[in-house]
Amino acid sequence: MGFWSYFRDELRWPLIWKPGPISALVEGLARTMDDARADVLWFRNQFNPATCDDANLAEHAASRGLERHRLETDLGHRARCEKAFAWQALGGGQVGVPKILEHLGYPNSAIRNIREEDEERWAEFKVRTRVPERGIESVDLELIAWAANDQKPARSILAGLETEGVIGGGAYAATVLLTGTVVTLGPEIPAETNVIAQLYVGSYIHGISTTTLGE
């Protein structure tokens, strides 16, 4: 509701019900107040990364210590600015990195410390990511590596990426069970009863590939 509607319909001031000098003055004042209100609301929205203009989003990102990757979408970057404090509170370890990867479109990711393979490499880790249904390309690996390096603690070193894929399928097998029964009706007339049973077997292929990052 604008101020003119408020003055005329809510306050019901009789002097502005008919056209005239006072009515014109009040309507002009109401329109000016509407414009001022819109400016105040716009100014307020610029202090929130969820509502600010695109031109002002970079300042919010800088204040949160965020750098935008070239593969990150506009909506994804804005959402990351909105959730920056929550992600920073989680830290960049076992919990924080999978969260940011889920936001970027790679759910079910996990962190694996290399000390399981070599105790001397206790500071190194690998990121294991489930391959999306659309598949995975080199740009995806670039984005995952960037996000992991951006979120990890300073003491940690990203040693490589692992992609995990599961391909579901069906295998069909049939088995035939043959039984014979003889019934005597006057002259011997053998009768056979055939019973066919079908067996369905499910199968899947589970593969993991590792990408080692260069020095």
Side-chain angles (χ1 to χ4, degrees):
M1 177 186 296
F3 280 98
W4 173 242
S5 297
Y6 175 72
F7 293 153
R8 183 186 58 194
D9 302 328
E10 297 296 327
L11 296 182
R12 297 181 180 277
W13 192 24
L15 296 179
I16 62 173
W17 287 353
K18 295 182 179 181
I22 297 179
S23 176
L25 178 63
V26 173
E27 184 175 359
L29 176 63
R31 295 186 183 277
T32 301
M33 295 174 67
D34 285 338
D35 292 340
R37 177 177 179 272
D39 290 340
V40 169
L41 294 178
W42 175 87
F43 187 71
R44 181 196 65 182
N45 290 340
Q46 304 315 301
F47 290 90
N48 187 340
T51 56
C52 72
D53 292 348
D54 292 339
N56 296 326
L57 186 60
E59 296 184 9
H60 287 286
S63 68
R64 290 158 169 78
L66 301 180
E67 294 184 5
R68 181 173 180 175
H69 192 268
R70 66 181 184 84
L71 298 175
E72 197 172 11
T73 64
D74 293 339
L75 292 177
H77 182 58
R78 183 180 291 272
R80 196 158 65 93
C81 288
E82 295 177 35
K83 301 175 181 179
F85 292 136
W87 278 325
Q88 289 169 359
L90 289 173
Q94 299 281 346
V95 177
V97 172
K99 283 291 185 182
I100 187 67
L101 291 178
E102 181 178 359
H103 164 73
L104 293 175
Y106 308 100
N108 303 317
S109 299
I111 303 300
R112 187 171 65 83
N113 198 297
I114 303 302
R115 67 169 173 259
E116 300 173 0
E117 304 172 1
D118 186 348
E119 293 183 355
E120 294 183 358
R121 301 175 64 186
W122 58 268
E124 300 180 42
F125 70 96
K126 291 182 180 180
V127 178
R128 177 173 294 182
T129 303
R130 179 69 61 86
V131 176
E133 293 183 0
R134 60 176 175 80
I136 195 164
E137 301 177 359
S138 59
V139 292
D140 296 301
L141 299 178
E142 178 185 344
L143 187 58
I144 293 170
W146 167 80
N149 277 315
D150 184 69
Q151 293 292 310
K152 71 176 181 62
R155 68 178 183 276
S156 300
I157 302 173
L158 178 61
L161 306 177
E162 295 179 342
T163 55
E164 180 180 12
V166 176
I167 303 175
Y172 176 83
T175 181
V176 178
L177 175 64
L178 176 63
T179 63
T181 303
V182 178
V183 179
T184 301
L185 297 175
E188 277 193 13
I189 302 176
E192 290 186 344
T193 301
N194 296 334
V195 180
I196 299 177
Q198 294 179 336
L199 175 64
Y200 293 89
V201 181
S203 67
Y204 71 93
I205 301 173
H206 185 189
I208 297 175
S209 64
T210 301
T211 301
T212 302
L213 303 180
E215 297 293 337

